[in-house]
Amino acid sequence: MPEYDIAIIGAGAAGLAAAIFAGEEAERAGVNLKIALLDGAKKPGAKILVSGGGRCNVTNEKVSPDDYCGGSAKIIRNVLRSFDEQQTIHWMENLGVSLKLEPTGKYFPLTNTARSVLDALLQRVDEVGVQRLFGYRVSNIGRVTAGVGDAGGAAHWRITNAIDSTTITAHTLIISTGGQALPKSGSDGA
């Protein structure tokens, strides 16, 4: 049973970003972490590819908590303070995606194609050593309490694949499966 330090379920925009940030932080700290990025789709990022009419609206000139429906305005405000529009633009450019501001106040890649954004994210996932487990449709997540012989004595998560019943474990679990905005893309709420 493969064991990971971190498993991230969902390889959409949030999951890809989480994988990249985790891998980069491990590099900065000089720690060798085993990180897995799981997604039910064999080719993830379908919603990225259709966003902005296939051009991928990366961010807007100005983003505020009022732009979001649902959720806590305080939490949204804190997230936006910790990673605002300018940081998003800078991050994309560091990934090799140059952006342009359109008169509508939206930022799109200079290439005018969402594929360049997805490709840059996937490339960085590989560069920071995250293992891709695509086509891994999670059917069960269980918390396992550490036993006497377990390394470090830490509890962990057991994650089962619906397709072939294989299982992996992870000490830390990030769930970034998104909502049900586009069920045919895999975001079906399962």
mmCIF file of all heavy atoms in Angstrom, residues 143-175:
data_model
loop_
_atom_site.group_PDB
_atom_site.id
_atom_site.type_symbol
_atom_site.label_atom_id
_atom_site.label_comp_id
_atom_site.label_asym_id
_atom_site.label_seq_id
_atom_site.Cartn_x
_atom_site.Cartn_y
_atom_site.Cartn_z
ATOM 1 N N ARG A 143 -10.254 7.306 8.288
ATOM 2 C CA ARG A 143 -9.202 7.712 9.220
ATOM 3 C C ARG A 143 -8.738 6.461 9.945
ATOM 4 O O ARG A 143 -9.556 5.714 10.498
ATOM 5 C CB ARG A 143 -9.768 8.734 10.207
ATOM 6 C CG ARG A 143 -8.749 9.321 11.141
ATOM 7 C CD ARG A 143 -7.997 10.427 10.443
ATOM 8 N NE ARG A 143 -7.200 11.156 11.414
ATOM 9 C CZ ARG A 143 -6.000 11.606 11.165
ATOM 10 N NH1 ARG A 143 -5.451 11.417 9.987
ATOM 11 N NH2 ARG A 143 -5.326 12.253 12.070
ATOM 12 N N VAL A 144 -7.440 6.225 9.945
ATOM 13 C CA VAL A 144 -6.871 5.044 10.581
ATOM 14 C C VAL A 144 -6.028 5.504 11.760
ATOM 15 O O VAL A 144 -5.126 6.322 11.605
ATOM 16 C CB VAL A 144 -5.991 4.246 9.589
ATOM 17 C CG1 VAL A 144 -5.390 3.037 10.253
ATOM 18 C CG2 VAL A 144 -6.802 3.851 8.362
ATOM 19 N N THR A 145 -6.341 4.981 12.930
ATOM 20 C CA THR A 145 -5.585 5.327 14.126
ATOM 21 C C THR A 145 -4.290 4.535 14.128
ATOM 22 O O THR A 145 -4.269 3.357 13.785
ATOM 23 C CB THR A 145 -6.404 5.004 15.391
ATOM 24 O OG1 THR A 145 -7.660 5.675 15.285
ATOM 25 C CG2 THR A 145 -5.680 5.459 16.641
ATOM 26 N N ALA A 146 -3.232 5.188 14.523
ATOM 27 C CA ALA A 146 -1.912 4.553 14.518
ATOM 28 C C ALA A 146 -1.849 3.414 15.522
ATOM 29 O O ALA A 146 -2.402 3.505 16.614
ATOM 30 C CB ALA A 146 -0.849 5.586 14.836
ATOM 31 N N GLY A 147 -1.171 2.378 15.123
ATOM 32 C CA GLY A 147 -0.932 1.239 16.004
ATOM 33 C C GLY A 147 0.445 1.339 16.624
ATOM 34 O O GLY A 147 1.220 2.235 16.308
ATOM 35 N N VAL A 148 0.769 0.405 17.473
ATOM 36 C CA VAL A 148 2.051 0.414 18.181
ATOM 37 C C VAL A 148 3.226 0.374 17.207
ATOM 38 O O VAL A 148 4.205 1.075 17.368
ATOM 39 C CB VAL A 148 2.127 -0.775 19.165
ATOM 40 C CG1 VAL A 148 3.482 -0.836 19.825
ATOM 41 C CG2 VAL A 148 1.024 -0.663 20.200
ATOM 42 N N GLY A 149 3.134 -0.418 16.143
ATOM 43 C CA GLY A 149 4.253 -0.574 15.219
ATOM 44 C C GLY A 149 4.310 0.456 14.111
ATOM 45 O O GLY A 149 5.233 0.441 13.304
ATOM 46 N N ASP A 150 3.349 1.377 14.040
ATOM 47 C CA ASP A 150 3.334 2.363 12.960
ATOM 48 C C ASP A 150 4.470 3.362 13.120
ATOM 49 O O ASP A 150 4.773 3.806 14.220
ATOM 50 C CB ASP A 150 2.000 3.137 12.930
ATOM 51 C CG ASP A 150 0.851 2.270 12.441
ATOM 52 O OD1 ASP A 150 1.132 1.196 11.883
ATOM 53 O OD2 ASP A 150 -0.299 2.685 12.626
ATOM 54 N N ALA A 151 5.052 3.719 11.991
ATOM 55 C CA ALA A 151 6.150 4.693 11.995
ATOM 56 C C ALA A 151 5.656 6.022 12.548
ATOM 57 O O ALA A 151 4.680 6.578 12.073
ATOM 58 C CB ALA A 151 6.691 4.881 10.584
ATOM 59 N N GLY A 152 6.329 6.504 13.545
ATOM 60 C CA GLY A 152 5.985 7.802 14.116
ATOM 61 C C GLY A 152 4.738 7.785 14.981
ATOM 62 O O GLY A 152 4.441 8.747 15.648
ATOM 63 N N GLY A 153 3.994 6.714 14.970
ATOM 64 C CA GLY A 153 2.800 6.607 15.781
ATOM 65 C C GLY A 153 1.686 7.548 15.381
ATOM 66 O O GLY A 153 0.776 7.794 16.145
ATOM 67 N N ALA A 154 1.738 8.095 14.156
ATOM 68 C CA ALA A 154 0.735 9.068 13.727
ATOM 69 C C ALA A 154 -0.426 8.384 13.017
ATOM 70 O O ALA A 154 -0.233 7.427 12.273
ATOM 71 C CB ALA A 154 1.375 10.093 12.800
ATOM 72 N N ALA A 155 -1.605 8.907 13.247
ATOM 73 C CA ALA A 155 -2.775 8.426 12.520
ATOM 74 C C ALA A 155 -2.645 8.867 11.066
ATOM 75 O O ALA A 155 -1.874 9.768 10.748
ATOM 76 C CB ALA A 155 -4.047 8.987 13.141
ATOM 77 N N HIS A 156 -3.383 8.229 10.177
ATOM 78 C CA HIS A 156 -3.307 8.585 8.765
ATOM 79 C C HIS A 156 -4.643 8.306 8.089
ATOM 80 O O HIS A 156 -5.564 7.792 8.698
ATOM 81 C CB HIS A 156 -2.163 7.820 8.082
ATOM 82 C CG HIS A 156 -2.278 6.333 8.203
ATOM 83 N ND1 HIS A 156 -1.748 5.635 9.254
ATOM 84 C CD2 HIS A 156 -2.865 5.411 7.393
ATOM 85 C CE1 HIS A 156 -2.005 4.340 9.101
ATOM 86 N NE2 HIS A 156 -2.680 4.176 7.997
ATOM 87 N N TRP A 157 -4.702 8.667 6.812
ATOM 88 C CA TRP A 157 -5.903 8.490 6.009
ATOM 89 C C TRP A 157 -5.697 7.329 5.040
ATOM 90 O O TRP A 157 -4.642 7.199 4.448
ATOM 91 C CB TRP A 157 -6.203 9.757 5.215
ATOM 92 C CG TRP A 157 -6.457 10.945 6.079
ATOM 93 C CD1 TRP A 157 -5.558 11.901 6.448
ATOM 94 C CD2 TRP A 157 -7.686 11.290 6.697
ATOM 95 N NE1 TRP A 157 -6.159 12.823 7.261
ATOM 96 C CE2 TRP A 157 -7.467 12.479 7.436
ATOM 97 C CE3 TRP A 157 -8.957 10.715 6.708
ATOM 98 C CZ2 TRP A 157 -8.470 13.092 8.162
ATOM 99 C CZ3 TRP A 157 -9.956 11.342 7.438
ATOM 100 C CH2 TRP A 157 -9.711 12.516 8.150
ATOM 101 N N ARG A 158 -6.722 6.537 4.863
ATOM 102 C CA ARG A 158 -6.715 5.467 3.863
ATOM 103 C C ARG A 158 -7.705 5.885 2.777
ATOM 104 O O ARG A 158 -8.861 6.168 3.054
ATOM 105 C CB ARG A 158 -7.112 4.132 4.484
ATOM 106 C CG ARG A 158 -7.069 2.989 3.475
ATOM 107 C CD ARG A 158 -7.280 1.637 4.119
ATOM 108 N NE ARG A 158 -6.137 1.329 4.968
ATOM 109 C CZ ARG A 158 -6.228 0.763 6.164
ATOM 110 N NH1 ARG A 158 -7.398 0.447 6.676
ATOM 111 N NH2 ARG A 158 -5.146 0.509 6.871
ATOM 112 N N ILE A 159 -7.209 5.916 1.528
ATOM 113 C CA ILE A 159 -7.998 6.417 0.406
ATOM 114 C C ILE A 159 -8.112 5.298 -0.628
ATOM 115 O O ILE A 159 -7.100 4.795 -1.130
ATOM 116 C CB ILE A 159 -7.310 7.659 -0.213
ATOM 117 C CG1 ILE A 159 -7.048 8.694 0.882
ATOM 118 C CG2 ILE A 159 -8.150 8.236 -1.345
ATOM 119 C CD1 ILE A 159 -5.919 9.641 0.581
ATOM 120 N N THR A 160 -9.340 4.917 -0.954
ATOM 121 C CA THR A 160 -9.588 3.780 -1.840
ATOM 122 C C THR A 160 -10.059 4.240 -3.213
ATOM 123 O O THR A 160 -10.885 5.137 -3.329
ATOM 124 C CB THR A 160 -10.652 2.842 -1.221
ATOM 125 O OG1 THR A 160 -10.227 2.482 0.099
ATOM 126 C CG2 THR A 160 -10.837 1.587 -2.053
ATOM 127 N N ASN A 161 -9.524 3.589 -4.229
ATOM 128 C CA ASN A 161 -9.877 3.857 -5.623
ATOM 129 C C ASN A 161 -11.098 3.012 -6.005
ATOM 130 O O ASN A 161 -11.065 1.787 -5.873
ATOM 131 C CB ASN A 161 -8.679 3.508 -6.520
ATOM 132 C CG ASN A 161 -8.876 3.883 -7.967
ATOM 133 O OD1 ASN A 161 -9.977 4.209 -8.405
ATOM 134 N ND2 ASN A 161 -7.802 3.834 -8.720
ATOM 135 N N ALA A 162 -12.146 3.652 -6.499
ATOM 136 C CA ALA A 162 -13.370 2.948 -6.889
ATOM 137 C C ALA A 162 -13.157 2.052 -8.096
ATOM 138 O O ALA A 162 -13.867 1.063 -8.271
ATOM 139 C CB ALA A 162 -14.469 3.965 -7.203
ATOM 140 N N ILE A 163 -12.187 2.376 -8.924
ATOM 141 C CA ILE A 163 -12.005 1.651 -10.176
ATOM 142 C C ILE A 163 -11.423 0.265 -9.960
ATOM 143 O O ILE A 163 -11.911 -0.717 -10.519
ATOM 144 C CB ILE A 163 -11.139 2.491 -11.152
ATOM 145 C CG1 ILE A 163 -11.891 3.789 -11.472
ATOM 146 C CG2 ILE A 163 -10.793 1.708 -12.413
ATOM 147 C CD1 ILE A 163 -11.057 4.859 -12.109
ATOM 148 N N ASP A 164 -10.385 0.170 -9.120
ATOM 149 C CA ASP A 164 -9.744 -1.136 -8.939
ATOM 150 C C ASP A 164 -9.555 -1.520 -7.472
ATOM 151 O O ASP A 164 -8.858 -2.490 -7.167
ATOM 152 C CB ASP A 164 -8.396 -1.176 -9.660
ATOM 153 C CG ASP A 164 -7.429 -0.129 -9.145
ATOM 154 O OD1 ASP A 164 -7.714 0.517 -8.107
ATOM 155 O OD2 ASP A 164 -6.367 0.044 -9.771
ATOM 156 N N SER A 165 -10.153 -0.785 -6.567
ATOM 157 C CA SER A 165 -10.104 -1.039 -5.122
ATOM 158 C C SER A 165 -8.701 -0.940 -4.517
ATOM 159 O O SER A 165 -8.489 -1.391 -3.403
ATOM 160 C CB SER A 165 -10.719 -2.405 -4.789
ATOM 161 O OG SER A 165 -12.071 -2.413 -5.158
ATOM 162 N N THR A 166 -7.744 -0.379 -5.242
ATOM 163 C CA THR A 166 -6.428 -0.164 -4.642
ATOM 164 C C THR A 166 -6.544 0.916 -3.577
ATOM 165 O O THR A 166 -7.470 1.728 -3.591
ATOM 166 C CB THR A 166 -5.378 0.255 -5.689
ATOM 167 O OG1 THR A 166 -5.835 1.431 -6.364
ATOM 168 C CG2 THR A 166 -5.116 -0.861 -6.690
ATOM 169 N N THR A 167 -5.600 0.911 -2.669
ATOM 170 C CA THR A 167 -5.639 1.846 -1.547
ATOM 171 C C THR A 167 -4.270 2.491 -1.368
ATOM 172 O O THR A 167 -3.249 1.849 -1.555
ATOM 173 C CB THR A 167 -6.026 1.098 -0.251
ATOM 174 O OG1 THR A 167 -7.296 0.488 -0.440
ATOM 175 C CG2 THR A 167 -6.113 2.032 0.927
ATOM 176 N N ILE A 168 -4.288 3.774 -1.020
ATOM 177 C CA ILE A 168 -3.077 4.463 -0.610
ATOM 178 C C ILE A 168 -3.339 5.046 0.770
ATOM 179 O O ILE A 168 -4.493 5.146 1.202
ATOM 180 C CB ILE A 168 -2.667 5.587 -1.592
ATOM 181 C CG1 ILE A 168 -3.696 6.722 -1.590
ATOM 182 C CG2 ILE A 168 -2.413 5.036 -2.984
ATOM 183 C CD1 ILE A 168 -3.223 7.993 -2.276
ATOM 184 N N THR A 169 -2.272 5.419 1.453
ATOM 185 C CA THR A 169 -2.432 6.109 2.726
ATOM 186 C C THR A 169 -1.689 7.435 2.666
ATOM 187 O O THR A 169 -0.747 7.604 1.889
ATOM 188 C CB THR A 169 -1.891 5.286 3.920
ATOM 189 O OG1 THR A 169 -0.493 5.087 3.755
ATOM 190 C CG2 THR A 169 -2.619 3.955 4.033
ATOM 191 N N ALA A 170 -2.127 8.355 3.502
ATOM 192 C CA ALA A 170 -1.487 9.662 3.589
ATOM 193 C C ALA A 170 -1.624 10.184 5.010
ATOM 194 O O ALA A 170 -2.644 9.953 5.663
ATOM 195 C CB ALA A 170 -2.132 10.641 2.620
ATOM 196 N N HIS A 171 -0.588 10.883 5.460
ATOM 197 C CA HIS A 171 -0.639 11.462 6.800
ATOM 198 C C HIS A 171 -1.481 12.732 6.819
ATOM 199 O O HIS A 171 -2.137 13.026 7.812
ATOM 200 C CB HIS A 171 0.771 11.735 7.310
ATOM 201 C CG HIS A 171 1.537 10.472 7.520
ATOM 202 N ND1 HIS A 171 1.334 9.647 8.585
ATOM 203 C CD2 HIS A 171 2.475 9.865 6.763
ATOM 204 C CE1 HIS A 171 2.112 8.602 8.497
ATOM 205 N NE2 HIS A 171 2.812 8.699 7.395
ATOM 206 N N THR A 172 -1.460 13.468 5.707
ATOM 207 C CA THR A 172 -2.250 14.694 5.594
ATOM 208 C C THR A 172 -3.107 14.593 4.339
ATOM 209 O O THR A 172 -2.640 14.111 3.310
ATOM 210 C CB THR A 172 -1.324 15.928 5.489
ATOM 211 O OG1 THR A 172 -0.513 15.986 6.666
ATOM 212 C CG2 THR A 172 -2.117 17.211 5.350
ATOM 213 N N LEU A 173 -4.329 15.055 4.426
ATOM 214 C CA LEU A 173 -5.264 14.967 3.315
ATOM 215 C C LEU A 173 -5.827 16.353 3.005
ATOM 216 O O LEU A 173 -6.267 17.075 3.898
ATOM 217 C CB LEU A 173 -6.407 14.016 3.673
ATOM 218 C CG LEU A 173 -7.498 13.809 2.637
ATOM 219 C CD1 LEU A 173 -6.937 13.174 1.373
ATOM 220 C CD2 LEU A 173 -8.603 12.944 3.220
ATOM 221 N N ILE A 174 -5.784 16.708 1.722
ATOM 222 C CA ILE A 174 -6.394 17.950 1.248
ATOM 223 C C ILE A 174 -7.474 17.547 0.254
ATOM 224 O O ILE A 174 -7.201 16.837 -0.702
ATOM 225 C CB ILE A 174 -5.359 18.865 0.554
ATOM 226 C CG1 ILE A 174 -4.268 19.279 1.544
ATOM 227 C CG2 ILE A 174 -6.051 20.093 -0.050
ATOM 228 C CD1 ILE A 174 -3.100 20.004 0.909
ATOM 229 N N ILE A 175 -8.700 18.010 0.493
ATOM 230 C CA ILE A 175 -9.796 17.702 -0.422
ATOM 231 C C ILE A 175 -10.141 18.975 -1.179
ATOM 232 O O ILE A 175 -10.555 19.973 -0.588
ATOM 233 C CB ILE A 175 -11.021 17.148 0.331
ATOM 234 C CG1 ILE A 175 -10.630 15.862 1.073
ATOM 235 C CG2 ILE A 175 -12.170 16.897 -0.641
ATOM 236 C CD1 ILE A 175 -11.728 15.289 1.935
#
